[in-house]
Every structure is written in C-alpha cells, then in structure tokens.
Amino acid sequence: MENLSSKYGKTLNLDKLTSYCPGCGHGIVTRLVGEAIEELGVMERTIAVVGIGCGGFSHHYMDIDAIEATHGRSPSFAVGYKLAMPENIVFTYAGDGDTCAIGLGDLMHAANKGMPITTIMVNNTVFGMTGGQMSPTTLEGQVTATSVKGRDISSQGYPLLVPEMMQSMAGVKYLARESVDSPKAIRKAKKSIRKAFECQVKGLGYAFVEVIVPCPTGLKMRVKDSYERCANEMTDYFKPQVFKDETEQGDVA
Amino acid sequence: MTQETLFLKNTETFAESLARCGVKYHFAYPITPATDVMKRMAVILPQYGGQMMQMESELAVSSALAGAACTGKLAATSSSGPGLTLMHEAIGFMCAAELPCIVFDSMRVGPGDGDILGAQSDYYVVTRGGGHGDYHTIVLAPSSGQEIADIMPHGVRLAYKYRAPVLFVLDGVSAQTTESTTLPAYNDYSAEFDTSEWAFTGTKDHAKRALITGSYTHQDGYEMNEMLRAKYEVIRNNEQMWEQEQVEDAELVVAAFGIHGRMCRDMVAKMRAEGRKVGFIRPITLWPFPDNAFEALPESVKNILVVEMNHGQMVDDVRLAVNGRVPVHFMGKTGGDQPMHTLAEMITEANRILGE
C-alpha cells in the first residue's frame, strides 16, 4: 500500500476508518483542517477542542492533542486554553447544533473577545448524531424528526445565519462561509480554512469558517441527492462567501 | 511578594492567597458576595504575570477554567450560589477529566435567585458532587482570613495531587468579614507537581493525547469509573481535616463549620467557665467529611448539637458519622434580618440539652 503520509503529511491519521456515515461532509472538512495544519507546519503545537455530536469524532483522525469539551462550550474552553498557552494554536470544531444552538452565547462572546482562535462550524442543518432533529439552521419547511410538518418560521424562527451575526465584530479577522458541494467548492473551502488557521498563527484575531455540508443519514436522503440539496437549497440560503479577510497583515510566525 | 500583614476583607485575602500560591489565571462573573475576589485579582494578577478574565456567564467561566486547566497551569474562579449552580457543568467535567483548579463559593441565602445575605445553604450541593454522575469535589471550609491564607498551599497541593477541582466554601458572613491576616510570601505550589505526564500541550514531546469524558461503556469505560471510585476512597481515608477542643471529657459536643465553627471557641470557653462539660468539632474539610472525629468520640459524650446557617444540611453527615450511637440535635437559621443564631442562643440551646 502506498505510504499515504508521504502524500498527506503526519497530521491526518489515515490508518483509521472514520466513523462518519457514508457521504457525510465531515470527512471532507476534517481532511481540509488536517491539511491546513500540516501545510502551516504547526501540528505539534495545535490543539483541537471539539464539540459533542458527530463533529466530536473529528480529532480521532488527526494526530494532535484534543479536548472533547462539554456541549456547546468549545469556544469558552478555547478562550481559557489560549489565555494560559498563547503560543499554541487552538481551534474548535463542531456542528451547527453544538455551535449555534447550545453554544451560541459562548461562540459570540469568544468571537467578540477577538483572541486568536479558529472556529470551524460544520453546518448540515440537522442534529445528526441524535437522529435528525431540527437545529437552529434547519431550513424553512424542512422536515425533521422534531419538525414533522416542516420548520414553521412563525414559531420556530428563521434559519440562523451565524457568520452574518459576527460581521460587525472588529475582533473577527477572518470570516467566511464555504460549501463542499463540488470539487470547486471544496478547493475554496480549503483556502478559507487555511486562512482561518493562518490568521491565528499570525496572532491577528478570531477566525470563523462555516462549512455547508450534507448529512444523508440525518436527512434520510441518498448521498447524491444530499449533495444536490447542498448545491442548491442549502447554498441558496446559506450563501458561500468570504465576509471578511484581514489576514494579509503580519507574517506566519 | 514578601510576607506581609494586611487588614483585608476575607474575599480579598482569598484573592491574595490564590495569587501568592501560584494561581496565574482567574475567570469570573460578578456576583455578590464574591465579586471582591475578581476585583482584586484583576488588579494583582498582572503583577504575577497572570490575568483575570471576566466572562459572559458562569457557564463560560467554568468552561474557560477547564480549558486553562488542560494546559496544566493553575487557574481559579470565584462565585456564589446561583453562579456555582451554572458552573457545575464544567466542575463535573473537570472531575471526570481529572483537571486541577480552585473554585471559591461565597455562600448566600436561598434557592432560585437567592439573596445576597450570607448563609451556609450550599453544603449539600458542594459535598454531593453538584452535577450529574458519580463524583465528589474536595471541599475546604476555612473560618477566618488567617485560615484562608494558611490552608491555600494545601488546597493547591490537593488539586494537583489528586488532579481534581478543589472547592473553598465560606458563608457570606465570614467571606465579608474584614480582619488582619498575615499573607505568605509568593510561592507557586503547583510547580511541585510534574504536569508533563498528562497536560494537553501539543504533541512535540508526547504521542497524541485526547481528553474524553464521554465514554463509560465497555471495559475501559468501566475501569475509568472504578478509577474515580478508588481515588475518592483514597481521599476519604487520607484527607479529613477538622479542629476540635475539649472533646476528651465532654458531655455535649457542638459541631459547626465556618462562622458558627469559629463561634464555638467562645461558646466552649464561656460554658467551661461555668463548669459545663462542652467541647466542639469544627470540620475543615466538608468533603471528605471528618467521620474520624465523630467515630473517635469518648463515652462521655451524651449529645451532639449541630449549628448551621441553613435548615439542616451538615447535620445529615454528623448523623451518618455517629450512626445512631449519640443523639444529634440541630439548630439553624437562615435569611431574615439576623441570618444566623447568636452566641447567646447557641449557649441557651446547649444548656437546654444538657439539662434534659
């Protein structure tokens, strides 16, 4: 068998089969995160703070120290860690439920503090691990186990646009939404995730990337259909874009 | 910082003791009667190369504390009842994750929002774990400024020796008392412990470490739970602390902690001067509860009186410790204009029991 680490580097642990479901977008995002860490050469001083849910699996496929935080609190864990150990690179990785349901308060205050921390939010519009319940990013009319007639915006609100909420925060230095619906989109996502880490390596401030991904299992869809949904309905509402990029200042330390 | 004697509020003494014993990072959210700790930490920690970080809630406070503790460095927080309730999420996490830290609870009155009046109403919540799952936190209950300063090195050592959160609890009355205290010279007691074996500092000098507290199934999960059980057993057997006086020939033993424990000294002196055979036991560790003190009571002891600033919480542990061998009486008061029993009331009750 080809030595994969010579191709992908040491950060990604390719000896393990992932426990992500077939077609899950987490596998792509996990790889992009691993590649960014590898390319920046910061593996030995990078710490993953992962959330509860499928996103919590992500660190198992990277040979870096990791902390599985309490549900939604990864950003606060990262703030405490970064204060005590500013020389290390700290990133949080979690899904939409962990990041913007139970953890929205922690996320917004961590972002507003503007400490050099990187957050990756993997948005598949559903609570995947617990079996497909409505999340704050569930689309209008989307049928889930807990919105059986479709999300009713009159009482359940509109899908939450998280990076848009951070736009006015001066401490946020890199802010983007990406998707994994096509090879082209994945290449763009890779660039944004790398910038989000670079932003921290340069010590500039908070960096946030939301990645729109499919969850065929939680949505009860075929893999192909779930990627089509990702390319159409999901990204029609969650529009991929770089909201803010102030990473051109400073050198990679 | 060198040794110095200052006239301080005990919350300020707590902050000074933390900083002088090596705490570099303090996370907190304002709440009466604990805010003076974070206020003083904000001023003094930069002098020690550290920082006080104000967070947006006590949930975030305890989470940031856990994040800092992952580095192996010494961090602390301070709060009062309602804040402590929110903090229990990450306190339980740190017990499962085996992370050292110091937590201070300046106890106030009442459930719900509570009120700012001092009380001893958090005895149950601090000695029974506080959150979900099987765990305990070590709980120290100093009763004066000097005892805070004197016991802090021990508190830091306990946190690192057992890799666990150590809680300090003071009733809000003791916490807000202003008195002269001799503060120790600076010494980082956490530096006595090697954290490189477990801290999550990056894979430069060790293979990947993952902090996982969410796996209790299968054999490895079972063993993790059993390891915690064994650790608590060691703590129970080795770390009980209490103060006692004139128990040897006592007919009545008064048991109290915090401000009431401190009052016991005057109470026993006064009653002994009147020929009454009274002694006292003042628990210093609330968990582990000093069972040994009560198991060793002499035959002369016919009654125990427990005095608390609540409706009867520590009294349960006294009853468990004596296991029916001695009648246990209780007097407690909380809230109102005078949120505790006076020395005169304690003596009257003791005399009534002695006269029975």
Side-chain angles (χ1 to χ4, degrees):
Chain A
M1 193 173 152
E2 187 192 357
N3 183 351
L4 291 170
S5 66
S6 64
K7 187 173 176 189
Y8 294 103
K10 289 180 182 166
T11 306
L12 282 169
N13 183 337
L14 297 159
D15 298 334
K16 282 184 182 173
L17 284 174
T18 76
S19 45
Y20 299 137
C21 301
C24 172
H26 269 297
I28 302 169
V29 184
T30 302
R31 176 180 152 180
L32 297 182
V33 168
E35 286 177 355
I37 295 165
E38 184 73 23
E39 286 167 20
L40 290 166
V42 292
M43 172 192 164
E44 288 181 340
R45 58 184 177 113
T46 297
I47 311 296
V49 185
V50 301
I52 301 297
C54 300
F57 292 133
S58 57
H59 76 86
H60 287 290
Y61 319 118
M62 287 181 259
D63 277 334
I64 56 174
D65 278 0
I67 298 155
E68 291 187 2
T70 45
H71 198 23
R73 312 278 167 249
S74 308
S76 296
F77 271 68
V79 163
Y81 189 100
K82 191 75 182 179
L83 183 73
M85 210 147 205
E87 66 274 27
N88 277 2
I89 304 301
V90 188
F91 75 96
T92 73
Y93 182 114
D96 44 289
D98 190 286
T99 308
C100 70
I102 196 166
L104 186 67
D106 295 71
L107 175 73
M108 287 299 151
H109 284 280
N112 195 46
K113 278 190 169 68
M115 289 169 76
I117 290 167
T118 305
T119 289
I120 308 297
M121 167 180 162
V122 182
N123 178 6
N124 56 19
T125 72
V126 78
F127 276 86
M129 183 177 274
T130 46
Q133 296 80 26
M134 182 177 69
S135 98
T137 57
T138 292
L139 293 171
E140 182 181 350
Q142 184 182 329
V143 174
T144 72
T146 51
S147 55
V148 291
K149 291 182 176 172
R151 181 175 184 157
D152 175 7
I153 52 152
S154 71
S155 63
Q156 291 164 328
Y158 289 89
L160 211 55
L161 297 165
V162 178
E164 280 85 343
M165 296 170 78
M166 289 181 191
Q167 263 180 300
S168 64
M169 295 178 182
V172 179
K173 300 296 183 190
Y174 189 81
L175 185 61
R177 176 187 291 122
E178 300 291 355
S179 165
V180 297
D181 62 66
S182 66
K184 192 182 166 194
I186 292 170
R187 279 195 294 276
K188 284 175 69 183
K190 178 177 163 116
K191 199 175 163 194
S192 272
I193 288 171
R194 191 191 144 120
K195 283 216 170 192
F197 277 88
E198 217 177 288
C199 183
Q200 181 175 178
V201 174
K202 288 179 176 177
L204 299 175
Y206 198 81
F208 180 90
V209 180
E210 174 185 4
V211 189
I212 307 300
V213 306
C215 176
T217 305
L219 297 167
K220 297 174 177 53
M221 292 174 99
R222 292 167 56 214
V223 170
K224 187 168 175 291
D225 295 342
S226 73
Y227 275 83
E228 270 165 22
R229 177 177 181 271
C230 197
N232 298 303
E233 293 138 81
M234 287 175 85
T235 45
D236 280 351
Y237 185 85
F238 299 108
K239 291 190 170 47
Q241 58 195 292
V242 176
F243 296 91
K244 202 192 275 192
D245 181 0
E246 296 173 13
T247 59
E248 291 315 311
Q249 22 186 323
D251 297 319
V252 176
Chain B
M1 286 297 152
T2 51
Q3 180 180 310
E4 57 191 328
T5 301
L6 297 175
F7 189 60
L8 290 177
K9 210 188 237 193
N10 285 337
T11 40
E12 296 172 316
T13 294
F14 196 84
E16 286 286 346
S17 303
L18 286 173
R20 285 160 187 261
C21 288
V23 168
K24 289 281 180 295
Y25 307 102
H26 194 85
F27 303 92
Y29 182 91
I31 183 169
T32 308
T35 314
D36 288 329
V37 179
M38 70 185 288
K39 280 165 64 184
R40 195 159 186 108
M41 287 303 243
V43 174
I44 64 174
L45 272 185
Q47 300 164 23
Y48 296 87
Q51 192 181 331
M52 191 286 292
M53 182 170 267
Q54 182 168 334
M55 301 296 287
E56 74 273 14
S57 75
E58 286 90 348
L59 274 170
V61 162
S62 60
S63 303
L65 183 60
C70 286
T71 67
K73 294 182 184 173
L74 182 56
T77 183
S78 48
S79 193
S80 186
L84 188 74
T85 297
L86 294 177
M87 284 191 199
H88 276 298
E89 178 180 87
I91 292 175
F93 176 92
M94 287 187 278
C95 288
E98 300 199 273
L99 296 172
C101 70
I102 305 284
V103 177
F104 172 57
D105 177 24
S106 174
M107 290 184 281
R108 55 191 254 179
V109 65
D113 284 343
D115 207 330
I116 60 173
L117 220 54
Q120 294 180 334
S121 49
D122 300 346
Y123 182 91
Y124 277 155
V125 79
V126 295
T127 57
R128 266 60 184 167
H132 56 276
D134 278 332
Y135 73 91
H136 288 281
T137 47
I138 297 169
V139 184
L140 298 173
S143 65
S144 69
Q146 197 56 58
E147 195 174 20
I148 292 169
D150 293 345
I151 207 173
M152 189 60 74
H154 183 61
V156 172
R157 284 175 173 143
L158 286 174
Y160 277 80
K161 181 177 176 187
Y162 295 107
R163 282 177 53 197
V166 170
L167 266 65
F168 282 77
V169 297
L170 268 83
D171 49 81
V173 176
S174 298
Q176 294 177 104
T177 300
T178 302
E179 55 186 327
S180 292
T181 299
T182 301
L183 300 166
Y186 173 79
N187 183 39
D188 180 1
Y189 290 90
S190 70
E192 296 171 5
F193 298 84
D194 179 14
T195 62
S196 68
E197 290 297 306
W198 60 265
F200 301 85
T201 51
T203 54
K204 191 162 56 195
D205 53 6
H206 58 256
K208 175 188 172 81
R209 287 178 186 156
L211 179 55
I212 300 171
T213 66
S215 182
Y216 292 96
T217 52
H218 308 305
Q219 188 61 25
D220 55 343
Y222 177 77
E223 281 165 12
M224 179 170 155
N225 237 358
E226 286 299 308
M227 180 273 297
L228 286 178
R229 183 194 343 222
K231 175 158 92 173
Y232 296 140
E233 202 54 40
V234 171
I235 297 173
R236 264 200 196 95
N237 290 335
N238 296 302
E239 305 299 349
Q240 298 178 21
M241 289 173 74
W242 71 92
E243 177 193 359
Q244 68 174 51
E245 266 182 34
Q246 312 231 35
V247 169
E248 297 70 26
D249 65 339
E251 288 171 19
L252 173 70
V253 164
V254 185
F257 73 99
I259 184 75
H260 274 309
R262 193 170 176 175
M263 288 160 74
C264 282
R265 257 178 242 133
D266 287 345
M267 177 187 184
V268 167
K270 274 181 189 261
M271 294 186 77
R272 283 277 172 177
E274 291 163 6
R276 302 287 193 173
K277 290 194 167 176
V278 181
F280 78 84
I281 294 173
R282 179 177 68 85
I284 298 171
T285 53
L286 301 186
W287 196 92
F289 189 72
D291 293 325
N292 294 348
F294 292 89
E295 280 163 15
L297 286 178
E299 291 291 321
S300 62
V301 177
K302 301 295 177 233
N303 285 287
I304 295 172
L305 171 62
V306 178
V307 190
E308 297 181 72
M309 292 172 71
N310 56 39
H311 293 161
Q313 298 189 22
M314 186 182 81
V315 64
D316 289 355
D317 281 336
V318 175
R319 288 192 173 118
L320 285 169
V322 298
N323 199 16
R325 284 179 286 114
V326 187
V328 177
H329 308 262
F330 172 75
M331 69 185 296
K333 193 179 170 192
T334 189
D337 295 318
Q338 172 70 42
M340 59 190 292
H341 284 298
T342 61
L343 186 59
E345 287 166 343
M346 288 164 70
I347 291 172
T348 302
E349 180 62 6
N351 276 324
R352 189 192 66 75
I353 294 166
L354 284 166
E356 271 180 356

